[in-house]
Amino acid sequence: MRIRSGPWRVAELPTTRAGVERAFSYFTAGVRLGTVAQMVPAVQLGAARSPHEAGYLACWGAAALAAVAVSVVTLVRRRPPGTVVSVLDFGLACALLVLGPLVLAPWDRFGTWTAFQPGYALSVIITAGGVRALGVWAGSLLAVSVCYVVYLGGDVGSEMTSTAVGNVMTYVVYALVARMFFGYTRRIARDADASRARAAELARREEERRAQVMMHNGVAVMRLLTEQGDDVSRARLVGQAEVELRRMRSYLRGTDVYVSDAEGASVGLVPMVRRVCDRFADLNVVASLDLCTGLRIPAAQAEALERALGSLLLNVRVHARAHEVVVHLDDQETERGGWTLTVHDDGVGFEPASVTAGVGLREVVVGELRRRGLGVGIVSAVGEGTTVTVRSRPGPDADPPGPAHPTVRAAFADAP
């Protein structure tokens, strides 16, 4: 049988600022109620040995009631005591220390829970380490230390001096440790929240990028379908639109995931390139693919390469005003399994340094191919056409990693 999660399952608390504050509330309640548990067994003996039994019981009851009240309030609020509660708590601890000599015999002030006042003050110091107001915390600690000196009075023998000094130092050390514990843990929680927010933002951007990659070519085809054209051209566009529609449906269903290379899936390079070129017969595409017959590449690379080649040819169709497009595959014999795909058009070209890259060139072509470990190079000049080279491995003349040609827009401008 599965035990249902409850509010006391500390291990299941979220590692957020709210979760940390709630954990602090458990810590605070545990320390305060633990102090009461240590006070209870000695109350009868303390009252019997006190010179003022009623006064002793009143002080003991005030301490126990305050500890329980602070614990309850802390657990209900799901965070440690605030400034006001801490000030009242410190005030009570100081009052109990000052009244201690009146309700305790001198020989009972050390070494037993009959004298509960110092132990109660220590519990307040530990649990008040989370007070955000540094001045309040420091002033309250100083006040408790002074009141403890008053509590010792002048009746403590010289043999107890070292113990008294040690107790004062214990207050200071525990206060500093608790302060560091609360502050450092809160900073960890803040950093964790910031990291989660950053991760969420990066995931959103990555999903936005994937959507742009998946939708870009389809949007371009749909725009072309709205323009005037002959029946043959529209028939070709309808075929391309069906391909892009299947991709968009797969993406929206969450099934458009690249096949992992580790699964051993591969795709024939030549059939894939030829299939894309056949969709653009109106561009007078000259495909020279014989050198790579039989070559297979990982399915993830094939998916990205097919989408990138389609985007390039779409842009040539819309913007380049080219008479001919040459698609050439070359087998790089110097590298086992190496290959180079070159796409050259004799269109209007552009000046890479003076224009800005859009989604198609930046993400669908360069971004996706580089994410799949392929090298991409782009060469263009006004009036001389454009050449895009894709290599199985980045070559020395490929663009450096990162966004390539951030100023390219002319011949490779994106569809709206």
Side-chain angles (χ1 to χ4, degrees), residues 86-350:
S86 295
V87 168
L88 294 175
D89 222 6
F90 272 116
L92 177 61
C94 289
L96 292 175
L97 288 172
V98 172
L99 294 174
L102 302 178
V103 298
L104 292 171
W107 55 83
D108 279 340
R109 296 185 195 176
F110 288 104
T112 174
W113 274 97
T114 297
F116 61 88
Q117 292 88 342
Y120 179 84
L122 181 60
S123 72
V124 173
I125 288 173
I126 292 175
T127 56
V131 175
R132 297 183 184 276
L134 179 60
V136 171
W137 171 80
S140 299
L141 174 61
L142 178 61
V144 169
S145 300
V146 171
C147 291
Y148 184 71
V149 174
V150 174
Y151 168 81
L152 296 177
D155 299 329
V156 180
S158 59
E159 69 277 4
M160 300 301 295
T161 301
S162 60
T163 301
V165 173
N167 287 347
V168 173
M169 294 303 298
T170 298
Y171 282 168
V172 175
V173 171
Y174 271 86
L176 293 174
V177 170
R179 186 75 179 178
M180 181 182 68
F181 164 70
F182 278 95
Y184 182 67
T185 307
R186 279 172 173 156
R187 185 161 66 87
I188 291 175
R190 287 196 301 270
D191 290 347
D193 282 349
S195 297
R196 275 187 288 267
R198 176 63 175 166
E201 175 62 16
L202 291 176
R204 185 195 66 78
R205 292 181 183 179
E206 174 61 15
E207 188 60 28
E208 184 179 79
R209 184 198 63 78
R210 288 191 67 237
Q212 290 176 340
V213 170
M214 290 301 304
M215 304 296 180
H216 176 269
N217 290 359
V219 171
V221 172
M222 285 187 286
R223 194 194 75 173
L224 291 173
L225 280 171
T226 63
E227 297 178 354
Q228 296 294 329
D230 56 46
D231 293 339
V232 175
S233 298
R234 292 185 64 82
R236 293 194 183 100
L237 287 173
V238 168
Q240 294 177 37
E242 290 176 350
V243 172
E244 298 301 330
L245 179 60
R246 286 195 296 270
R247 285 179 178 165
M248 284 189 272
R249 281 177 174 171
S250 297
Y251 169 75
L252 293 174
R253 292 171 181 168
T255 58
D256 183 78
V257 180
Y258 291 136
V259 179
S260 172
D261 295 349
E263 297 177 2
S266 62
V267 174
L269 179 58
V270 170
M272 182 273 292
V273 173
R274 194 182 304 280
R275 183 169 61 249
V276 177
C277 292
D278 289 344
R279 299 176 195 153
F280 295 87
D282 58 305
L283 293 181
N284 188 24
V285 178
V286 178
S288 177
L289 313 176
D290 295 340
L291 293 178
C292 291
T293 302
L295 183 63
R296 302 183 68 83
I297 63 175
Q301 288 187 350
E303 175 75 18
L305 185 59
E306 180 178 357
R307 189 178 295 120
L309 180 56
S311 182
L312 289 172
L313 295 178
L314 272 172
N315 279 299
V316 171
R317 171 185 283 162
V318 175
H319 302 289
R321 300 195 295 274
H323 296 94
E324 184 179 75
V325 182
V326 177
V327 179
H328 178 70
L329 266 175
D330 185 19
D331 183 3
Q332 298 175 353
E333 297 180 359
T334 57
E335 297 181 27
R336 185 178 179 183
W339 52 268
T340 300
L341 173 66
T342 303
V343 181
H344 172 74
D345 70 77
D346 59 359
V348 297
F350 60 94

Side-chain angles (χ1 to χ4, degrees), residues 25-46:
S25 73
Y26 295 163
F27 171 77
T28 300
V31 171
R32 302 305 295 274
L33 294 178
T35 301
V36 174
Q38 290 179 298
M39 291 167 53
V40 169
V43 60
Q44 186 175 0
L45 178 62

